[in-house]
Amino acid sequence: MAQSTFDRRRINGPEESFAPIFDDIQDVSQHVKRQGRLAEDIRPIFLQPGLISQANGSAYIETEKTKIACAVYGPRQSKTTTYSEKGRLNVEVKFAPFSCIRRRAPLRDAEDRSLAVSIHQAVVSSVRLELFPKSTIDVFITIIENDGLEGCIASGSIAASVALADAGIEMIGLVTSCSVAIRETELWLDPTEDEVKASKGTLVLACLPAIGHITSTWQSGATNVDETIKCMQICQDRCADIHSIVAESLVQSAKSCSS
């Protein structure tokens, strides 16, 4: 009797199947010039406040392959017994399991905490926490699709600021953020993950364009002082352009809610 090739211990696939289709991975290191857009161009920004009805304030931001949702709850009474004259801002970042090429575990790791610290530093100085004694404001950020940590920090800071404004929390101004990568002799604004890997250094700057105040900088790689200053200047100029987009989205959201 001929032995059957059917293995009952495993779940066998169909007899007719197709190979998976993967996106073409371009080797950015071979290109000296940027492909698809100019060095000083950023990706198109889609920003929509107030999408999560259960939260006090929310925002959704999308820049091509970077997609982030943010929800704000509070201010609410702090659970700690000690009295504090200033409120507390909590930021929590979580990657969706399908947000990266390699599936992520649902548990939080060091990368989640590092992003949360960076976004907290970018946003906390813009919130008037002295008006909320013994209170906490919770900011929950979910990264739906990831295209580099630099883009997540910049987009997450913008989404957190918009969600706080949507919640009606009093702020000094709106926080905007922009990232830049150093590639050869050029500065590439808003780099993708592949462009970051081909660069020698990156910088993320967050600021309050309305008052010209820098809230935080995040830097990685090998850069000298002159390159760092140039990166900060070009990011600060582009943050002023992003500020108009953020303000317009809040105005349009307020008009749609009132009508």
Side-chain angles (χ1 to χ4, degrees):
M1 181 177 178
Q3 186 176 2
S4 174
T5 59
F6 184 79
D7 191 350
R8 298 182 181 278
R9 295 172 297 177
R10 294 180 175 87
I11 300 176
N12 293 270
E15 295 181 359
E16 295 182 359
S17 60
F18 300 91
I21 300 174
F22 298 98
D23 294 335
D24 294 333
I25 301 176
Q26 299 179 355
D27 189 3
V28 183
S29 60
Q30 297 178 354
H31 306 298
V32 179
K33 296 295 182 181
R34 197 174 199 179
Q35 304 295 313
R37 50 192 168 110
L38 299 178
E40 64 274 10
D41 290 344
I42 63 174
R43 289 170 287 184
I45 298 175
F46 174 81
L47 183 60
Q48 181 62 51
L51 285 183
I52 304 175
S53 58
Q54 293 83 0
N56 297 108
S58 62
Y60 172 79
I61 187 170
E62 180 176 326
T63 58
E64 289 187 355
K65 290 186 178 180
T66 300
K67 301 177 179 65
I68 296 176
C70 178
V72 171
Y73 297 89
R76 47 194 176 188
Q77 185 177 359
S78 177
K79 296 181 181 179
T80 59
T81 56
T82 58
Y83 177 79
S84 58
E85 294 183 357
K86 294 181 64 176
R88 182 178 179 182
L89 181 70
N90 300 322
V91 178
E92 181 178 322
V93 177
K94 184 178 181 181
F95 283 87
F98 49 82
S99 61
C100 304
I101 296 177
R102 179 177 295 179
R103 185 176 178 85
R104 296 180 65 100
L107 300 177
R108 295 185 63 193
D109 53 16
E111 193 173 45
D112 298 345
R113 296 184 182 93
S114 177
L115 284 175
V117 170
S118 300
I119 295 174
H120 179 272
Q121 291 177 349
V123 177
V124 65
S125 59
S126 68
V127 183
R128 299 194 60 187
L129 295 176
E130 68 274 7
L131 300 179
F132 309 102
K134 202 182 178 182
S135 301
T136 58
I137 302 172
D138 298 318
V139 179
F140 297 97
I141 296 175
T142 303
I143 298 177
I144 303 171
E145 188 173 358
N146 169 32
D147 193 19
L149 293 181
E150 288 77 9
C152 289
I153 294 174
S155 299
S157 301
I158 296 173
S161 181
V162 173
L164 288 167
D166 183 60
I169 296 172
E170 189 164 350
M171 305 168 65
I172 299 174
L174 295 172
V175 175
T176 58
S177 181
C178 186
S179 59
V180 61
I182 303 174
R183 170 65 176 154
E184 300 293 340
T185 58
E186 290 187 342
L187 300 179
W188 290 359
L189 280 172
D190 194 16
T192 62
E193 187 174 12
D194 294 333
E195 292 173 346
V196 168
K197 292 178 180 178
S199 65
K200 70 173 185 177
T202 58
L203 183 140
V204 183
L205 181 139
C207 65
L208 294 164
I211 59 176
H213 178 68
I214 296 176
T215 58
S216 72
T217 56
W218 186 89
Q219 184 179 354
S220 65
T223 59
N224 55 44
V225 177
D226 294 335
E227 290 173 339
T228 301
I229 293 175
K230 289 180 181 178
C231 290
M232 293 179 67
Q233 290 175 346
I234 192 172
C235 284
Q236 196 168 7
D237 293 339
R238 191 44 56 95
C239 283
D241 300 332
I242 300 174
H243 184 266
S244 61
I245 299 174
V246 173
E248 181 64 24
S249 67
L250 288 170
V251 170
Q252 294 298 330
S253 176
K255 288 181 179 179
S256 62
C257 291
S258 60
S259 60

